[in-house]
Amino acid sequence: MEDSLQIYERWLAENGLIHHSDDHGNIVFKYQGLTLVIVNPGDDKLFLQIVLPNIYDFSNEEERQKALIVANILSIQRKAIKANVFDDSVNLNVEMFVDTTPDVEDFMERVLDILVQGRLFFYNQLEKLNS
């Protein structure tokens, strides 16, 4: 039986998205010019986490506070997406449970678009906050 990571890799290949595995077994790929990561779920094969890392970097406490405000707005106002302030950058991710043989075609493109649109939403909200 195919494991979940193999199913995602097959979907990426079938959709022409170049990908590779990193040292942690995560799948790294490009979508609409952005680098995304399908996180290796370890023992929890029914869990899917896709991360759009480092969408915004900050260098001081004032910028960090603004990033936290915007991350909170995004997490509240958008479906399925979370924004995390980690170290000196912001990551976006979608986390969900899947069944043992997920039909990736039913949801993957929508999840990826949610992340891409979430990035734009984050920048727009940050711009509003700065004006």
Side-chain angles (χ1 to χ4, degrees), residues 14-128:
E14 288 172 357
N15 286 277
L17 299 171
I18 297 171
H19 61 280
H20 69 277
S21 293
D22 68 12
D23 295 340
H24 304 287
N26 302 319
I27 303 170
V28 180
F29 65 100
K30 293 272 191 189
Y31 181 77
Q32 295 186 10
L34 302 170
T35 300
L36 291 102
V37 179
I38 297 175
V39 177
N40 183 340
D43 292 336
D44 193 354
K45 301 299 183 193
L46 302 180
F47 182 70
L48 171 62
Q49 179 183 23
I50 304 178
V51 179
L52 177 54
N54 306 319
I55 66 155
Y56 177 72
D57 296 324
F58 50 88
S59 59
N60 61 53
E61 186 58 29
E62 180 182 351
E63 290 175 347
R64 182 180 189 284
Q65 289 304 314
K66 288 179 182 179
L68 285 167
I69 290 167
V70 174
N72 194 44
I73 292 169
L74 184 142
S75 296
I76 291 169
Q77 291 187 10
R78 294 296 193 190
K79 292 178 184 175
I81 192 169
K82 295 179 186 177
N84 299 341
V85 177
F86 183 74
D87 291 332
D88 58 355
S89 69
V90 177
N91 299 331
L92 300 181
N93 66 75
V94 171
E95 298 175 344
M96 58 192 274
F97 293 104
V98 295
D99 63 19
T100 55
T101 56
D103 190 352
V104 179
E105 201 64 42
D106 286 347
F107 62 83
M108 187 62 84
E109 194 165 350
R110 183 170 183 196
V111 168
L112 298 178
D113 288 339
I114 286 170
L115 288 163
V116 170
Q117 291 302 313
R119 179 177 172 264
L120 293 174
F121 182 87
F122 184 92
Y123 289 134
N124 288 337
Q125 292 298 310
L126 190 60
E127 187 176 309
K128 287 180 186 178

